[in-house]
Amino acid sequence: MALLNGILAQLLNGLRIGSIYALIALGYTMVYGIAKMINFAHGDIIMVGAYALYVFVSLLHVHPALAVVLTIGFCAVMGITIEKIAYKPLRNAQRLAVLITAIGVSYLLQNLALLIFKATPIPFGSIIRVPSITVGEITISGLTMVTLAVTAVVMVGLTLFVNHTKMGHSMLAVSEDQGAAKLMGINVDRTITITFAIGSALAAVAGILYISQYESLLPTLGALPGIKAFVAAVLGGIGSIPGAMIGGLVLGIIESMSKAYISTQLADAIVFSMLVVVLLLKPSGILGKLSIEKV
Amino acid sequence: MKKVLKTAGIACTIAMLASSVASAADTFLIGGVGPLTGAAASYGVSVKQGAEIAIEEINAAGGVTVGDTTYELALQFEDDQASEDIAPQAYNAVMDAGANVIMGAVTSGACIAITAQTYADGILQVTPSGSAEACIENDNAFRICFSDPEQGVAMADYMTDTLGLTKIAVIYNTADEYSTGIREAFEAEVAEKGGEIVASEAFQTNDTDFNAQLTTINGTDAEAIYVPAYYQDATYITKQASDMGMSLPFFGSDGWDGVLGTVTDPATVEGCIFTSPFCASVDDEKTVAFVEAYKAAYDATPDQFAADGYDCVYTFKAAMEQAGSIESADLIAAMTEISVSGQTGDPITFDASGAPIKDVKFVTVKDGAYTFVE
Amino acid sequence: MKKYGKQIIGCVAAAAVYAAVMILVNGGFLSRQMMSLIIPVCMNIILAVSLCMVVGFLGELSLGHAAFMSIGAYSGALILKSGLPTVAALPLAVLVGGVCAALLGLLVGIPVLRLRGDYLAITTLGFGEIIKSVFNAATPVTGGAGGLKKIPPVTTYRNFTFVYILMLLVILLVSNLVKSRHGRAICAIRDNYIAAEAIGIKVSFFKTMAFVIAAFMAGMAGVVYAGNIGILKPVNFDYNTSIEILVMVVLGGMGNITGSIIAAFLLTVLPEMLRGLSNYRMLVYAIALIAMMLFNNSPLKRMLVEKHNMRQAGKIE
Amino acid sequence: MALLEVKNLGISFGGLRAVDGLNMTIEEGSLVGLIGPNGAGKTTVFNLLTGVYRPTDGIIRLDGTDLVGKNPSQICQAGIARTFQNIRLFSDMTVADNVKAALHNQISYSLAGSLLHTPHYRKKEKEIDGRAMEILRVFELDQFAGYKAANLPYGKQRKLEIARALATNPRLLLLDEPAAGMNPNETAELMETIKFLRKEFQVTILLIEHDMKLVAGICEELTVLNFGEVLCQGKTADVLKDPQVITAYLGE
């Protein structure tokens, strides 16, 4: 019974961190699926979202609900700006060129935050207060439930948006073939800009939930969840919206299970080994489409 | 912008002083090496700011008189991003600027990466916070802080002998030298004293989620948790433990200093005990003066890194006065003869190995404020 | 005749650089800060040129170059620490470091055969993180998080000649390889792997070969690193290091060896030149990086390239 | 014995039977056309013959050697070379290097030679240079040897692809719509080239083509595919008169 409770508790720990990964991975996968670029700065937009929320709530004393909206708006605008300045001129360049620029943007955001907010972590209490639920000996944290719910809603919302709106269809078209989409009268630039706006807004949501969970602001806070979420997105099949959700949750659970029952020292090694194994068995991730080149 | 002007100002001053050798007050340049950017930036910034406070104090009081010459202290602090790769360049940059002594590096690895060169150059090197034993292997190298094993042993003794705890869980950073160094010594000493390490859980730098480790510990019969790590980690760990409803007492290393500044609810660290040479909230005169000056200058409460930086500068002053010279060899020889009245110890003396001799103190959080454990 | 002309220019340039560095170092014209950059520059050139082979010529994105470097660094460092006289230990360490890294390259080569593009990239990143974790955990051999210490400083700027020769060798081997049937096969795979297969090129073999050779060279660079810094820590070989090397290759114009060399030099020296900016240093570095990438793909640059292409096409018509 | 023997060849993609029960023999030295409406499965046949796809059933023999299950590079070494419907050049490489890459297995030397540029390497490279130029000259591409392949005009890119395929010294050459996108003049020129290289390189040719003028002009035999199955096979003149073929092409 104790063992079972232990396993259950560790599963919940996995869900807690996994739901955050999933939320971030959704943003990654969205941008990747449509703009076909790995946005290495995605994690740093989460950081910006977290700091923005802090500025609105603690420094400007805006009502938390409004602050959430403002934060999402701020990040979306920032996403658009970054896209316009740093990525758009590279639309026709090699894909790697954009990747490197994204890394540059990541450095830029981190160092800007460092200059503005300094290196010392800033404590910032959660604005989301949801009571935990206790079932038997197991306690489920309120925030975990909120994060899971938000991630699920976002996933469903994104799927509906992509499949049932005009903009969504444009996105699908652009993701299939930019050139053809352009010929069909789709405004590719605008579609990609909107993709970035949505991706950044999702990053903001992730940032808000992340900071509510961990309550400490650091200029580098986005880096690690960013890279883990990237792994999650690939694990789930990058470009696939439900894949991102599954990848995130699976990654979180593997992580907490290997920490609990194998080795905390080698947890990262185990997580990445799992990734390699999954990709060897299924080269395009759990839910990814294998694109076969037509000969 | 202010900082740029300030740096430019210092640089100008150095240039002017260098060009006019005959000026009344010569400059004694302290070369600082430590992280000002990157994940470890806060340690380097603290050391730098603590040292600047000390330098201002000393210069305001007329500088350091060595023989017939009065020296004004100056600091050139170069960023090493806490990286072994960049530390040599940072060190050589301050040497190019004509540093007389080296304060640094702030982190152990970066410090070790430059010890061979400082030794070859024969310059006095005092690391404020490089706690690995290898930092002071050479004869020219000294340190202000305790070494990792010293801290681990001191805490193990305190927990087993004084508090009578026998079943202890440990959470440590497997990717961090400081953390693994303390942990090793701590676990060995606990075993020596007949205690038991019931869980030894690792995490990685930048990890923020400790629920898996805490859940594991919760499943053991641990009586206390020892966390040899930095205050950010402690912040996450104590918060998540309290969220889980754990009530085990926490013990920590000197990296915990500053934890009250980063927790959202002081109750989560209430009653924790950590080894620390410095405590900003005690009300002896010297500490209060330092804390106030620091607050006025940087709008922040000094942590132990700042105190280490401060003491480092006073160590240089004492060595200059004792040596009666600013030649490196004389300064190094004087190090074992001086006694410094610092923030992290009073007195601080140094043994031939380069380690400081000062009392280990334990700090606890009581009613949301630090106090020394009596 | 034109071919030999290029080779002569290369030799002259190599000798001139060597002479210039020796004069600057021994004549005391260089600041210590600049002297401490000499070896890192050489090392980064080796890393960039070797990665250039995988990214630029083979066309696969690798985010695990630092892992190869770390294997080389650790195995080489163990040899350096073994107490052999430097004359024997250094070449042996470089060789062993290279071989160990090449073996890992072979291991990584297995997924390489199945994966492409971003999936391969994330796998190489994963390999890097696995290696890092293992090094962290294998304390008895690697010193764990505390690092492998007291490595004899055998590749400081005083041993510039050795490192420089190593660097030239790497540049020579890679540029030779590119101009050979093996190099053509690798480039063919990059340009169109289906057509490459169709003309009888064994794609898996050449992919693995490119990875192994690049890994070997990165391993040698790792030994240079070990002998220069004197302490090895797993954290210094994380994906950020791999990305830094990748930045050099991409900035150098992918598949352009000279470009990689110049980019490696610039990106090593630039952060040091920016020290005067103190806190704004990394910010300026980031902006410079973005600006350079944007320039590389700007209409201005494209116009210049296109003009060249048009001239070629024009001649044909 | 026939050079190429295909018996009962078939492949299914999921439920779709893309090629079914294909029988075909090609005699050494002949020039055969594979025609049929769009989507008839012609390119799929090429992909089966060159190992891009593995057949679900059937036999492929080149000069008696079984080719089923071999990968494309092995099949190329066995003696089948091809061009592609959508040109697949090594576009960032020079025109000469495109051909030299294809000489990879013909004129060989060790990796050590590649890395060190040994005298043996120099000798062999000279040989490769000579051979490549020889082939390029046949296609009148020699003066563009140093240009990037991507910078060639379309018609010349098609020619280069054929040149590259020939460099592998094939016994059987598969041409996938060589005249696609060419104007009548270029097509006429291409016909001459094909005739010439057939003699010059003594290669057997199987080609897919929609341009009936070309097909009628140079192919000796034809196989007509429709919905993955053989509609008709035989001498060119007979096949083109077959009412079934005409219906398949022109509709009801």
Side-chain angles (χ1 to χ4, degrees), chain C residues 39-50:
Chain C
I39 300 300
V41 164
C42 293
M43 180 188 83
N44 281 334
I45 289 178
I46 297 179
L47 288 168
V49 169
S50 58

Side-chain angles (χ1 to χ4, degrees), chain D residues 35-247:
Chain D
I35 63 170
N38 283 325
K42 303 179 299 284
T43 297
T44 308
V45 171
F46 271 25
N47 285 339
L48 287 168
L49 292 180
T50 53
V52 175
Y53 299 151
R54 199 191 164 112
T56 323
D57 37 89
I59 293 169
I60 305 169
R61 283 208 192 96
L62 184 75
D63 208 9
T65 324
D66 188 11
L67 294 186
V68 173
K70 292 198 167 158
N71 66 35
S73 71
Q74 286 167 327
I75 288 179
C76 171
Q77 283 177 14
I80 301 182
R82 72 176 291 185
T83 64
F84 296 87
Q85 193 173 348
N86 47 341
I87 303 179
R88 288 181 175 274
L89 286 175
F90 306 131
S91 42
D92 272 348
M93 293 165 69
T94 64
V95 169
D97 277 349
N98 265 271
V99 176
K100 287 189 196 172
L103 289 167
H104 174 78
N105 290 319
Q106 308 306 312
I107 307 171
S108 164
Y109 48 82
S110 68
L111 178 61
S114 286
L115 289 170
L116 302 172
H117 283 196
T118 53
H120 183 243
Y121 156 89
R122 287 179 200 284
K123 197 179 127 223
K124 288 289 176 183
E125 272 295 297
K126 217 175 215 171
E127 221 174 289
I128 292 174
D129 269 338
R131 181 84 184 123
M133 289 312 283
E134 215 173 279
I135 297 170
L136 285 175
R137 222 169 282 132
V138 172
F139 292 88
E140 292 167 346
L141 288 169
D142 48 333
Q143 70 264 44
F144 312 120
Y147 295 9
K148 231 170 81 167
N151 291 345
L152 287 180
Y154 183 79
K156 293 200 165 44
Q157 292 199 7
R158 282 245 171 252
K159 279 188 172 178
L160 176 58
E161 217 191 4
I162 301 174
R164 188 182 65 187
L166 276 173
T168 64
N169 196 22
R171 305 184 61 190
L172 176 65
L173 178 63
L174 310 181
L175 302 176
D176 199 342
E177 299 196 24
M182 287 189 175
N183 62 34
N185 281 342
E186 283 173 328
T187 308
E189 202 186 312
L190 178 72
M191 280 166 72
E192 291 312 309
T193 316
I194 292 175
K195 279 185 203 162
F196 173 74
L197 63 91
R198 184 180 164 203
K199 261 186 275 167
E200 175 83 11
F201 294 89
Q202 287 165 351
V203 63
T204 312
I205 296 172
L206 173 65
L207 60 84
I208 297 176
E209 191 47 72
H210 281 294
D211 188 323
M212 281 306 154
K213 222 196 242 158
L214 185 143
V215 171
I218 60 174
C219 294
E220 292 144 0
E221 280 180 48
L222 290 182
T223 296
V224 188
L225 278 187
N226 199 17
F227 298 114
E229 289 177 38
V230 177
L231 195 65
C232 174
Q233 253 172 339
K235 295 269 175 251
T236 303
D238 303 339
V239 169
L240 289 179
K241 270 185 263 169
D242 192 303
Q244 268 187 300
V245 176
I246 295 167
T247 316

Side-chain angles (χ1 to χ4, degrees), chain A residues 57-76:
Chain A
V57 173
S58 292
L59 303 185
L60 302 176
H61 304 292
V62 176
H63 185 271
L66 182 61
V68 167
V69 176
L70 286 174
T71 301
I72 295 173
F74 178 79
C75 283

